[in-house]
Amino acid sequence: NCFCVVSTNPWKTKGVSVQGRSSSAMYMPNRNSSTGIRLVRMGRPAPIKITPMEWGAVAAFCKILVAVAIGLPLVVYFAQDSLIFYRQPVSESRRAEIAQRYPAVREVFLKSDDGVRLQAWHAQAPESALLVLYFGGNAEETSWMLDELHNAPNVSWLIVSYRGYGLSEGSPGEAALASDALQWFDYAMNLPQADAKRIHVFGRSLG
């Protein structure tokens, strides 16, 4: 075996004094240095033996890692809509409150291209040709906008509820919401006194 020896004191090996540093000095086993340090030649370590039970535990752990690595992305992929969209349905008590406080506001419904029943709130201002089509935020139940309509007098509103929001049925998704928005625009264009040049689309956050 070769040892790297660093010393400021002389070493004596077979009567020969070695001063300073040597990177390839031959050292004899059980030889003492003048520094009082005893160097011992080490043998090879014994091989590590793994029992069949331990191999089984390692294999089971690896299977769990593989299952998590494959399964977690699949779960996120198939559940992405429920993770992205925070649905806000309208309770019956809130619905009754809206009907009582805003008798002029109508609940309007249409059927989407894929057969889902969609709902919106329509507030028609007297003799108004200006219509705002409102699309709310992700975690927004849009009926709260009815409380703010007095800030925009002489303006008509069509306040949309996304799929799974308000009184609309179904489940939200990117393609479905885009298709529904186009249908609501077509609906707005066919309203009485509607002027295509005076329909304004107002989107907040997700909208």
Side-chain angles (χ1 to χ4, degrees):
N1 293 334
C2 292
F3 295 85
C4 178
V5 180
V6 179
S7 175
T8 57
N9 297 320
W11 290 66
K12 292 183 178 181
T13 304
K14 293 184 178 181
V16 179
S17 177
V18 180
Q19 179 70 35
R21 177 178 299 180
S22 173
S23 61
S24 60
M26 181 67 71
Y27 179 76
M28 300 300 292
N30 301 322
R31 178 78 63 174
N32 290 332
S33 72
S34 60
T35 61
I37 299 175
R38 181 180 180 85
L39 301 180
V40 180
R41 187 192 301 271
M42 301 298 294
R44 291 186 177 181
I48 299 175
K49 294 182 179 180
I50 301 178
T51 65
M53 182 178 296
E54 291 172 332
W55 276 117
V58 172
F61 181 72
C62 291
K63 290 179 180 179
I64 293 173
L65 287 180
V66 172
V68 171
I70 296 176
L72 184 59
L74 289 177
V75 170
V76 172
Y77 175 78
F78 288 110
Q80 59 182 320
D81 285 345
S82 61
L83 296 174
I84 294 173
F85 299 102
Y86 299 93
R87 308 181 194 187
Q88 302 293 325
V90 169
S91 64
E92 286 300 321
S93 60
R94 172 61 177 166
R95 189 179 185 183
E97 177 189 355
I98 292 172
Q100 183 178 2
R101 293 181 60 187
Y102 308 104
V105 174
R106 296 189 303 118
E107 294 178 4
V108 295
F109 297 88
L110 62 79
K111 184 166 288 188
S112 68
D113 292 335
D114 56 353
V116 176
R117 189 169 183 255
L118 305 175
Q119 176 264 337
W121 310 97
H122 183 210
Q124 177 66 48
E127 300 180 359
S128 172
L130 177 63
L131 175 66
V132 176
L133 185 58
Y134 179 76
F135 297 93
N138 189 4
E140 179 181 341
E141 197 285 288
T142 54
S143 68
W144 75 272
M145 278 290 294
L146 298 174
D147 300 329
E148 303 297 326
L149 297 189
H150 65 277
N151 293 317
N154 301 321
V155 175
S156 298
W157 289 78
L158 186 62
I159 301 172
V160 173
S161 297
Y162 300 129
R163 296 178 180 223
Y165 292 68
L167 298 172
S168 293
E169 299 174 352
S171 299
E174 181 180 0
L177 294 186
S179 175
D180 296 345
L182 294 175
Q183 281 194 259
W184 279 118
F185 187 83
D186 292 339
Y187 176 91
M189 289 186 61
N190 292 317
L191 287 172
Q193 301 179 350
D195 182 352
K197 296 180 180 180
R198 301 197 68 190
I199 296 177
H200 298 264
V201 178
F202 177 14
R204 177 178 176 272
S205 185
L206 176 62

